[in-house]
């Protein structure tokens, strides 16, 4: 599923539009070249805010699991630990 499809499905799941409205917008996008989200916003079916929220709550797209090198915990910055006093030592990750 591409990102646009995921956002559309999220709009349907949240009730911002119906599956039929989404299918019709996708069909018109293919025939007219106008992006489905633009059509939906211009017609007042969804707001720009609805689309923004759907874009930011749709599952992130990534190529696969993170490698051990990128998922290893980095040493914590004490300034970023909530409630830690300035200069407090931070225990190493478990």
């Amino acid at each position: 599923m591409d990102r646009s499809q995921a956002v559309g499905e999220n709009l349907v799941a949240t009730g911002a539009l119906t599956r039929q409205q989404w299918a019709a917008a996708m069909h018109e996008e293919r025939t007219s070249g106008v992006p489905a989200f633009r059509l939906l916003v211009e017609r007042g079916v969804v707001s720009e805010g609805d689309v923004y929220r759907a874009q930011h709550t749709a599952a992130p797209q990534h190529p696969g699991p993170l490698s051990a090198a990128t998922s290893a915990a980095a040493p914590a910055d004490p300034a970023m630990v909530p409630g830690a006093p300035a200069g407090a030592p931070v225990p190493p990750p478990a």
Side-chain angles (χ1 to χ4, degrees), residues 7-92:
V7 173
E9 291 297 325
N10 194 31
L11 285 167
V12 171
T14 61
L17 74 155
T18 66
R19 187 158 306 284
Q20 292 78 19
Q21 288 169 315
W22 176 238
M26 291 299 295
H27 174 75
E28 190 167 343
E29 176 181 81
R30 286 189 297 276
T31 59
S32 71
V34 177
F37 297 119
R38 181 180 297 164
L39 294 166
L40 291 166
V41 170
E42 287 176 355
R43 294 180 182 158
V45 177
V46 296
S47 70
E48 288 182 5
D50 292 331
V51 174
Y52 177 84
R53 283 184 293 280
Q55 288 172 328
H56 290 85
T57 56
Q61 303 294 309
H62 57 79
L66 295 174
S67 70
T70 60
S71 63
D77 177 358
M80 301 303 290
V81 177
V90 177

